[in-house]
Amino acid sequence: MLTRVKSAVANFMGGIMAGSSGSEHGGGGCGGSDLPLRFPYGRPEFLGLSQDEVECSADHIARPILILKETRRLPWATGYAEVINAGKSTHNEDQASCEVLTVKKKAGAITSTPNRNSAKRRSSLPNGEGLQLKENSESEGVSCHYWSLFDGHAGSGAAVVASRLLQHHVTEQLQDIVEILKNSAVLPPTCLGEEPDHTPANSRTLTRAASLRGGVGAPGSPSTPPTRFFTEKKIPHECLVIGALESAFKEMDLQIERERSSYSISGGCTALIVICLLGKLYVANAGDSRAIIIRNGEIIPMSSEFTPETERQRLQYLAFMQPHLLGNEFTHLEFPRRVQRKELGKKMLYRDFNMTGWAYKTIEDDDLKFPLIYGEGKKARVMATIGVTRGLGDHDLKVHDSNIYIKPFLSSAPEVRVYDLSRYEHGADDVLILATDGLWDVLSNEEVAEAITQFLPNCDPDDPHRYTLAAQDLVMRARGVLKDRGWRISNDRLGSGDDISVYVIPLIHGNKLS
């Protein structure tokens, strides 16, 4: 037990040792080093880098900032910039992708394979020109803009796979509901194939009252309609899109699980995606990346971070209900610090899954076990191993020097937030910022908003590079300048040594969608 605890502490102090040369081609568990990579490592396709440029970008000393060579490679004149870490992993474990997808329900099939060639061909059009989100008369489908960021850990394999495939799972899930979405005047049917129900809502509530009075339409009477619930929830169209995104994340995670026996898919990754569909932005986040909208100087958060601290109660409840997952090495209870043997029998502050506050309990032998959640802030870890609680992959992740799997505590379910573009008239300086935690670890929402509101007004509104330059400015502010004491940012604070990836997406294009 003592050895195991020492190992856990050592792992906690160092976090996951990610990105070693071996982890990229192996990954442990089912993914042996003799297995081929699912996809080769590279930088985002839209950057248009040669192999030599990819290798030069991996300079952990100079840390060059990569930006778009051609703004026309991304729709809406979206800006993008990235920089590699200061040496924590061989590769840049962030990944990104952006496409314009065509969602079309194929005749005679509930689901079908996304038209990958069509998506890639359309995404190369300048600024997504002509691809406003409206019905496509040629394909009788709808066009959908897609942006994504993935932050890998313990290797870049899962992030690379997700950057190549998640958009196709999104498309496949949307294919089931595209015809329903196009008919926005009618609520989605409860069962597919049913005729749209135009019955007023108040008439449904009277049915039960009538049945209680024994009147016409009561159960068992000759005029009784087919059996159905007395009341029925009204499900808006955007809830179908949210469900499609949630299902796409689940299917992506299951695919990684299946394929890790055939391919080397190292580690796991967080996932932050945005789709623009029928005039609304859907932001889906699983992990600790972040999205914010800056509109007329106002900050509108579009995501939440999922960490051991923010999901403490969910994790503790799971451990309480299924204590075997703790491997007899951990306790699900939280204490302000590690409990020592000399404190047996004493009363100490603790917190359980049902508590947001604290109380005192008498310390017992089981309380001497290592806490399920340990540390604060960015140093908080689940089972002294991982600092994020939602994402994709990590199917083979175990507690150091043990056979205790951590995946049961991790979730692939994203939180999805919706922003209706048609409700606002956006200006040229109103933007959606997507970034991995390398940016947010050192810059607050307010600092990012201040940087954007200072930078964009000084750029030519007609300059297509203005948003890429804004993304570059944010990355530079977070990376800082290399000095004798490491990378430093404003006020001589420590800069980010992590991989940093940033999108700056102008919302003025949303004005054209309504």
Side-chain angles (χ1 to χ4, degrees), residues 97-108:
S97 60
C98 179
E99 295 186 17
V100 181
L101 308 172
T102 297
V103 182
K104 175 185 175 184
K105 186 177 188 297
K106 293 189 176 181

Side-chain angles (χ1 to χ4, degrees), residues 178-215:
V178 63
E179 296 301 316
I180 299 173
L181 296 178
K182 286 161 61 177
N183 190 6
S184 59
V186 179
L187 287 174
T190 299
C191 294
L192 285 176
E194 283 187 345
E195 289 296 320
D197 191 347
H198 298 279
T199 306
N202 59 353
S203 68
R204 296 182 182 177
T205 59
L206 293 175
T207 304
R208 186 168 192 269
S211 69
L212 292 176
R213 293 194 303 268

Side-chain angles (χ1 to χ4, degrees), residues 85-318:
N85 61 80
K88 75 166 192 173
S89 62
T90 303
H91 288 154
N92 184 336
E93 293 181 335
D94 286 359
Q95 290 289 330
S97 60
C98 179
E99 295 186 17
V100 181
L101 308 172
T102 297
V103 182
K104 175 185 175 184
K105 186 177 188 297
K106 293 189 176 181
I110 297 178
T111 60
S112 56
T113 304
N115 189 335
R116 299 176 60 178
N117 292 331
S118 172
K120 289 187 178 180
R121 181 175 65 254
R122 301 177 69 85
S123 66
S124 64
L125 293 176
N127 298 326
E129 183 180 355
L131 292 176
Q132 283 73 35
L133 303 188
K134 58 186 179 181
E135 184 171 337
N136 184 315
S137 59
E138 178 185 355
S139 64
E140 296 182 354
V142 294
S143 294
C144 166
H145 293 78
Y146 170 92
W147 298 263
S148 66
L149 284 178
F150 306 92
D151 185 352
H153 47 257
S156 60
V160 171
V161 170
S163 71
R164 299 289 191 95
L165 298 180
L166 180 56
Q167 57 268 45
H168 303 304
H169 285 289
V170 170
T171 305
E172 186 173 354
Q173 294 298 323
L174 290 175
Q175 283 176 331
D176 285 348
I177 58 174
V178 63
E179 296 301 316
I180 299 173
L181 296 178
K182 286 161 61 177
N183 190 6
S184 59
V186 179
L187 287 174
T190 299
C191 294
L192 285 176
E194 283 187 345
E195 289 296 320
D197 191 347
H198 298 279
T199 306
N202 59 353
S203 68
R204 296 182 182 177
T205 59
L206 293 175
T207 304
R208 186 168 192 269
S211 69
L212 292 176
R213 293 194 303 268
V216 177
S221 69
S223 59
T224 301
T227 303
R228 63 183 299 170
F229 292 108
F230 292 122
T231 60
E232 188 170 317
K233 287 185 177 181
K234 294 181 178 180
I235 309 300
H237 288 80
E238 69 180 37
C239 287
L240 292 186
V241 180
I242 292 171
L245 295 178
E246 292 167 336
S247 298
F249 273 62
K250 177 183 176 182
E251 291 302 318
M252 183 70 260
D253 194 48
L254 290 174
Q255 182 176 359
I256 292 174
E257 182 182 22
R258 290 192 306 269
E259 295 190 353
R260 78 191 199 284
S261 60
S262 303
Y263 297 99
S264 173
I265 305 177
S266 58
C269 66
T270 66
L272 171 62
I273 73 168
V274 177
I275 66 167
C276 185
L277 179 64
L278 298 173
K280 293 182 179 180
L281 292 175
Y282 296 83
V283 181
N285 183 50
D288 59 357
S289 294
R290 189 183 305 173
I292 64 171
I293 285 174
I294 303 169
R295 188 186 66 217
N296 196 26
E298 177 189 3
I299 299 170
I300 304 168
M302 291 301 296
S303 66
S304 300
E305 280 91 74
F306 295 98
T307 67
E309 288 187 312
T310 63
E311 293 216 277
R312 172 187 62 82
Q313 289 178 280
R314 177 183 74 81
L315 300 173
Q316 286 183 309
Y317 183 68
L318 175 59

